[in-house]
PDB file of all heavy atoms in Angstrom:
ATOM      1  N   CYS T 237      -1.934  56.882 -39.507  1.00  0.00           N
ATOM      2  CA  CYS T 237      -1.759  55.659 -38.706  1.00  0.00           C
ATOM      3  C   CYS T 237      -2.255  55.815 -37.275  1.00  0.00           C
ATOM      4  O   CYS T 237      -2.218  54.863 -36.515  1.00  0.00           O
ATOM      5  CB  CYS T 237      -0.296  55.235 -38.703  1.00  0.00           C
ATOM      6  SG  CYS T 237       0.301  54.753 -40.328  1.00  0.00           S
ATOM      7  N   THR T 238      -2.717  57.006 -36.919  1.00  0.00           N
ATOM      8  CA  THR T 238      -3.199  57.222 -35.561  1.00  0.00           C
ATOM      9  C   THR T 238      -4.714  57.105 -35.447  1.00  0.00           C
ATOM     10  O   THR T 238      -5.267  57.341 -34.384  1.00  0.00           O
ATOM     11  CB  THR T 238      -2.759  58.613 -35.048  1.00  0.00           C
ATOM     12  OG1 THR T 238      -3.255  59.604 -35.952  1.00  0.00           O
ATOM     13  CG2 THR T 238      -1.250  58.704 -34.949  1.00  0.00           C
ATOM     14  N   SER T 239      -5.394  56.732 -36.519  1.00  0.00           N
ATOM     15  CA  SER T 239      -6.842  56.532 -36.445  1.00  0.00           C
ATOM     16  C   SER T 239      -7.179  55.144 -36.982  1.00  0.00           C
ATOM     17  O   SER T 239      -6.460  54.602 -37.826  1.00  0.00           O
ATOM     18  CB  SER T 239      -7.593  57.601 -37.230  1.00  0.00           C
ATOM     19  OG  SER T 239      -7.502  57.353 -38.608  1.00  0.00           O
ATOM     20  N   ASP T 240      -8.291  54.602 -36.507  1.00  0.00           N
ATOM     21  CA  ASP T 240      -8.660  53.245 -36.930  1.00  0.00           C
ATOM     22  C   ASP T 240      -9.577  53.242 -38.151  1.00  0.00           C
ATOM     23  O   ASP T 240     -10.196  52.235 -38.457  1.00  0.00           O
ATOM     24  CB  ASP T 240      -9.279  52.475 -35.778  1.00  0.00           C
ATOM     25  CG  ASP T 240     -10.463  53.175 -35.165  1.00  0.00           C
ATOM     26  OD1 ASP T 240     -10.767  54.303 -35.585  1.00  0.00           O
ATOM     27  OD2 ASP T 240     -11.085  52.591 -34.263  1.00  0.00           O
ATOM     28  N   SER T 241      -9.645  54.355 -38.867  1.00  0.00           N
ATOM     29  CA  SER T 241     -10.447  54.399 -40.095  1.00  0.00           C
ATOM     30  C   SER T 241      -9.594  54.807 -41.291  1.00  0.00           C
ATOM     31  O   SER T 241     -10.063  55.476 -42.199  1.00  0.00           O
ATOM     32  CB  SER T 241     -11.613  55.371 -39.912  1.00  0.00           C
ATOM     33  OG  SER T 241     -11.118  56.667 -39.675  1.00  0.00           O
ATOM     34  N   SER T 242      -8.331  54.397 -41.273  1.00  0.00           N
ATOM     35  CA  SER T 242      -7.424  54.779 -42.354  1.00  0.00           C
ATOM     36  C   SER T 242      -6.930  53.544 -43.086  1.00  0.00           C
ATOM     37  O   SER T 242      -7.082  52.417 -42.628  1.00  0.00           O
ATOM     38  CB  SER T 242      -6.238  55.560 -41.780  1.00  0.00           C
ATOM     39  OG  SER T 242      -5.480  54.721 -40.945  1.00  0.00           O
ATOM     40  N   SER T 243      -6.323  53.763 -44.224  1.00  0.00           N
ATOM     41  CA  SER T 243      -5.769  52.639 -44.982  1.00  0.00           C
ATOM     42  C   SER T 243      -4.551  52.055 -44.279  1.00  0.00           C
ATOM     43  O   SER T 243      -4.263  50.865 -44.405  1.00  0.00           O
ATOM     44  CB  SER T 243      -5.411  53.080 -46.400  1.00  0.00           C
ATOM     45  OG  SER T 243      -4.463  54.121 -46.357  1.00  0.00           O
ATOM     46  N   CYS T 244      -3.846  52.877 -43.525  1.00  0.00           N
ATOM     47  CA  CYS T 244      -2.702  52.393 -42.752  1.00  0.00           C
ATOM     48  C   CYS T 244      -3.169  51.371 -41.714  1.00  0.00           C
ATOM     49  O   CYS T 244      -2.598  50.289 -41.592  1.00  0.00           O
ATOM     50  CB  CYS T 244      -2.003  53.571 -42.069  1.00  0.00           C
ATOM     51  SG  CYS T 244      -0.621  53.123 -41.015  1.00  0.00           S
ATOM     52  N   PHE T 245      -4.221  51.712 -40.972  1.00  0.00           N
ATOM     53  CA  PHE T 245      -4.741  50.781 -39.966  1.00  0.00           C
ATOM     54  C   PHE T 245      -5.318  49.528 -40.623  1.00  0.00           C
ATOM     55  O   PHE T 245      -5.149  48.428 -40.101  1.00  0.00           O
ATOM     56  CB  PHE T 245      -5.811  51.448 -39.100  1.00  0.00           C
ATOM     57  CG  PHE T 245      -6.431  50.505 -38.124  1.00  0.00           C
ATOM     58  CD1 PHE T 245      -5.728  50.069 -37.028  1.00  0.00           C
ATOM     59  CD2 PHE T 245      -7.713  50.019 -38.331  1.00  0.00           C
ATOM     60  CE1 PHE T 245      -6.287  49.174 -36.121  1.00  0.00           C
ATOM     61  CE2 PHE T 245      -8.288  49.131 -37.440  1.00  0.00           C
ATOM     62  CZ  PHE T 245      -7.570  48.714 -36.334  1.00  0.00           C
ATOM     63  N   ALA T 246      -5.978  49.682 -41.766  1.00  0.00           N
ATOM     64  CA  ALA T 246      -6.532  48.520 -42.460  1.00  0.00           C
ATOM     65  C   ALA T 246      -5.415  47.552 -42.858  1.00  0.00           C
ATOM     66  O   ALA T 246      -5.568  46.331 -42.749  1.00  0.00           O
ATOM     67  CB  ALA T 246      -7.321  48.962 -43.684  1.00  0.00           C
ATOM     68  N   ARG T 247      -4.304  48.092 -43.310  1.00  0.00           N
ATOM     69  CA  ARG T 247      -3.153  47.250 -43.682  1.00  0.00           C
ATOM     70  C   ARG T 247      -2.584  46.536 -42.453  1.00  0.00           C
ATOM     71  O   ARG T 247      -2.268  45.352 -42.506  1.00  0.00           O
ATOM     72  CB  ARG T 247      -2.088  48.117 -44.342  1.00  0.00           C
ATOM     73  CG  ARG T 247      -0.800  47.427 -44.624  1.00  0.00           C
ATOM     74  CD  ARG T 247      -0.715  47.083 -46.076  1.00  0.00           C
ATOM     75  NE  ARG T 247       0.645  46.633 -46.365  1.00  0.00           N
ATOM     76  CZ  ARG T 247       0.900  45.462 -46.888  1.00  0.00           C
ATOM     77  NH1 ARG T 247      -0.077  44.667 -47.227  1.00  0.00           N
ATOM     78  NH2 ARG T 247       2.121  45.110 -47.118  1.00  0.00           N
ATOM     79  N   ILE T 248      -2.461  47.259 -41.346  1.00  0.00           N
ATOM     80  CA  ILE T 248      -1.943  46.661 -40.108  1.00  0.00           C
ATOM     81  C   ILE T 248      -2.888  45.576 -39.616  1.00  0.00           C
ATOM     82  O   ILE T 248      -2.456  44.492 -39.214  1.00  0.00           O
ATOM     83  CB  ILE T 248      -1.725  47.750 -39.038  1.00  0.00           C
ATOM     84  CG1 ILE T 248      -0.560  48.659 -39.441  1.00  0.00           C
ATOM     85  CG2 ILE T 248      -1.470  47.128 -37.677  1.00  0.00           C
ATOM     86  CD1 ILE T 248      -0.404  49.883 -38.585  1.00  0.00           C
ATOM     87  N   GLU T 249      -4.192  45.855 -39.665  1.00  0.00           N
ATOM     88  CA  GLU T 249      -5.181  44.880 -39.205  1.00  0.00           C
ATOM     89  C   GLU T 249      -5.157  43.611 -40.069  1.00  0.00           C
ATOM     90  O   GLU T 249      -5.248  42.494 -39.551  1.00  0.00           O
ATOM     91  CB  GLU T 249      -6.567  45.520 -39.241  1.00  0.00           C
ATOM     92  CG  GLU T 249      -7.641  44.695 -38.583  1.00  0.00           C
ATOM     93  CD  GLU T 249      -8.956  45.437 -38.537  1.00  0.00           C
ATOM     94  OE1 GLU T 249      -9.275  46.178 -39.497  1.00  0.00           O
ATOM     95  OE2 GLU T 249      -9.670  45.273 -37.542  1.00  0.00           O
TER      96      GLU T 249
END
Side-chain angles (χ1 to χ4, degrees):
C237 295
T238 57
S239 76
D240 55 356
S241 62
S242 65
S243 59
C244 177
F245 176 72
R247 173 103 170 123
I248 291 171
E249 189 175 36

